[in-house]
Amino acid sequence: MLDQFNPAHLTIDWFAWGVAGLALLLAIGIAYLVYRLVYAAVSKLTKMSETTSDEMIVERIRLPIKWSFIAIGITIAAQMNAELQSIWEPLGKFLRPALLGWIAYTLVKGFTAALELRLEASDDPVAMRSRKTRIAILSRTATFTIIFITIGLMLLGIPAVRDIGTTLLASAGLAALAVGAAAQPALKSLIAGLQVALTEPMRLGDMVKVDGEVGRVEEIHMSFVKVRTWDERALIVPTTRFLDNSFENWSRKSEMLTGPVFLHLDPIAEVPPIRAEFERFVGSHELFDGRTCAMLMTEAYPESLELRLSMSAATIGDLWNLRCETREHMISWLQVNQPDALIRHRLELPGGHPKAGEAPAP
């Protein structure tokens, strides 16, 4: 066996590898030059457009396009050089899917940014929130799909993983059941996110009341929705919660709402003067939008009356402040003008207590 060993087989053909290195440098240089020429031409065309959206998209895909040109140049050079091909092809199986996924990812982000930029010029806040919600959810769905497919294509470049995939395909029935059972929560969240984007039960910026808490929708993800309350707490609510259970959306069409203030008074209260003062105060208030201003006696109990003071404002925040100021003003007015109308819990004994005048026992 020692006679068959020939050290000449271990020698390196430096000339061949030198040619391969030169071909690699030449391919990179030509590819970069072509990239610069193409990018300059495209940039000139985008600057001629009236909007800045084209420039934004081109700028975002500039880096992955540059490396894609270089990868294409190396691939072409590797087809004409065996040494370069022996090194590049194993790497190319991972890099080519990664570059394609990178380009698709940056395109999605570029189009998302361009669409959001256009929405800023919209005069309709409701339509803007609606479109912004759809853009956010659909872009996240596209991003998840791109990353999932890219990783799958990269893993297929590994022979062992490809063999495992072939084995799984042979038992596709059991594999489908196992994967379906394991991925059920993720698929449910994905479908729920798409359903929220299409049906729009709530949108970014909407004021909602869920699980007894009120706040604005700050973020909508595939699996959860973040609601910011007035005291700056963040409620993390599963997306399916908005589809499986009822909730209140206070700004579905607009933020113009009507809100009540309840007064519980003694039956001795004179209602007409209270109504007149309420209408005067709300009618002259700067937050009142002129739509609703009415007072009704909604309940009459043996020991109390319930008055509902309804008022409206242009926004939810204005309505809250108007209700608070109206409540404070009406209580102050009642204390001055009808103090007996305020309910007091007291005990009245005719003639006083029979032992009130007796001397205490020694």
Side-chain angles (χ1 to χ4, degrees):
M1 293 181 62
L2 295 175
D3 295 338
Q4 297 177 357
F5 178 74
N6 186 3
H9 292 292
L10 299 178
T11 60
I12 300 176
D13 190 351
W14 293 105
F15 178 77
W17 284 105
V19 172
L22 182 61
L24 176 63
L25 294 176
L26 186 62
I28 294 176
I30 295 175
Y32 184 75
L33 180 61
V34 173
Y35 153 74
R36 293 295 300 176
L37 294 174
V38 173
Y39 182 74
V42 174
S43 298
K44 187 175 181 179
L45 290 175
T46 55
K47 290 180 180 179
M48 296 172 60
S49 62
E50 298 180 355
T51 63
T52 59
S53 301
D54 300 337
E55 299 180 25
M56 184 183 300
I57 295 174
V58 171
E59 180 61 27
R60 285 181 175 265
I61 67 173
R62 179 180 62 83
L63 194 59
I65 289 295
K66 179 180 71 174
W67 288 106
S68 298
F69 269 90
I70 294 175
I72 292 172
I74 297 175
T75 302
I76 295 174
Q79 300 299 322
M80 298 180 289
N81 189 284
E83 286 76 9
L84 183 58
Q85 185 176 15
S86 64
I87 296 178
W88 171 251
E89 281 305 318
L91 295 175
K93 293 179 180 179
F94 296 96
L95 294 179
R96 283 191 288 265
L99 288 172
L100 289 175
W102 192 8
I103 293 173
Y105 174 81
T106 52
L107 278 174
V108 170
K109 292 301 181 182
F111 279 112
T112 301
L115 291 174
E116 290 179 350
L117 182 62
R118 290 186 177 182
L119 288 179
E120 295 180 359
S122 177
D123 297 332
D124 188 353
V126 177
M128 182 180 66
R129 293 202 306 268
S130 174
R131 294 170 185 171
K132 194 172 182 179
T133 302
R134 291 187 178 183
I135 291 171
I137 296 178
L138 294 178
S139 65
R140 290 191 180 100
T141 305
T143 300
F144 172 80
T145 304
I146 291 169
I147 294 175
F148 182 81
I149 294 175
T150 300
I151 294 176
L153 292 176
M154 293 175 67
L155 291 178
L156 287 178
I158 304 175
V161 175
R162 187 166 57 247
D163 295 339
I164 293 174
T166 304
T167 305
L168 289 176
L169 288 176
S171 56
L174 295 177
L177 291 176
V179 173
Q184 183 178 1
L187 292 176
K188 186 177 180 180
S189 298
L190 178 63
I191 294 173
L194 293 175
Q195 190 172 353
V196 168
L198 296 176
T199 59
E200 293 184 346
M202 79 290 187
R203 296 155 301 195
L204 292 174
D206 278 358
M207 182 74 75
V208 297
K209 183 177 182 180
V210 55
D211 296 334
E213 299 282 355
V214 179
R216 287 197 179 273
V217 177
E218 193 171 78
E219 296 179 11
I220 300 178
H221 296 267
M222 303 306 298
S223 57
F224 67 91
V225 176
K226 185 167 77 172
V227 180
R228 184 71 64 178
T229 61
W230 66 272
D231 54 358
E232 300 183 0
R233 289 179 295 129
L235 302 180
I236 307 301
V237 186
T239 307
T240 54
R241 169 69 175 78
F242 292 92
L243 301 176
D244 297 339
N245 303 94
S246 60
F247 68 98
E248 296 181 18
N249 190 334
W250 292 2
S251 57
R252 184 67 180 85
K253 294 296 183 181
S254 68
E255 291 205 359
M256 294 189 300
L257 290 180
T258 298
V261 168
F262 290 96
L263 295 179
H264 297 273
L265 305 177
D266 193 278
I268 201 174
E270 298 181 30
V271 176
I274 299 176
R275 178 180 289 109
E277 177 60 21
F278 162 69
E279 293 177 352
R280 184 201 66 77
F281 176 78
V282 173
S284 59
H285 202 284
E286 60 181 4
L287 298 180
F288 178 56
D289 64 353
R291 291 187 300 115
T292 302
C293 180
M295 191 188 81
L296 297 174
M297 183 186 295
T298 52
E299 293 290 348
Y301 300 102
E303 297 181 354
S304 66
L305 301 176
E306 182 184 82
L307 303 181
R308 188 186 69 186
L309 288 62
S310 302
M311 63 212 75
S312 62
T315 65
I316 296 174
D318 290 346
L319 178 61
W320 172 261
N321 292 329
L322 178 60
R323 290 171 60 196
C324 292
E325 293 182 19
T326 301
R327 187 181 296 110
E328 180 180 355
H329 173 78
M330 294 306 299
I331 293 297
S332 300
W333 185 88
L334 288 169
Q335 290 173 346
V336 175
N337 295 275
Q338 293 192 36
D340 294 337
L342 298 175
I343 296 177
R344 296 178 177 83
H345 295 284
R346 54 188 178 270
L347 179 64
E348 295 183 0
L349 296 176
H353 196 277
K355 297 183 179 181
E358 297 181 1

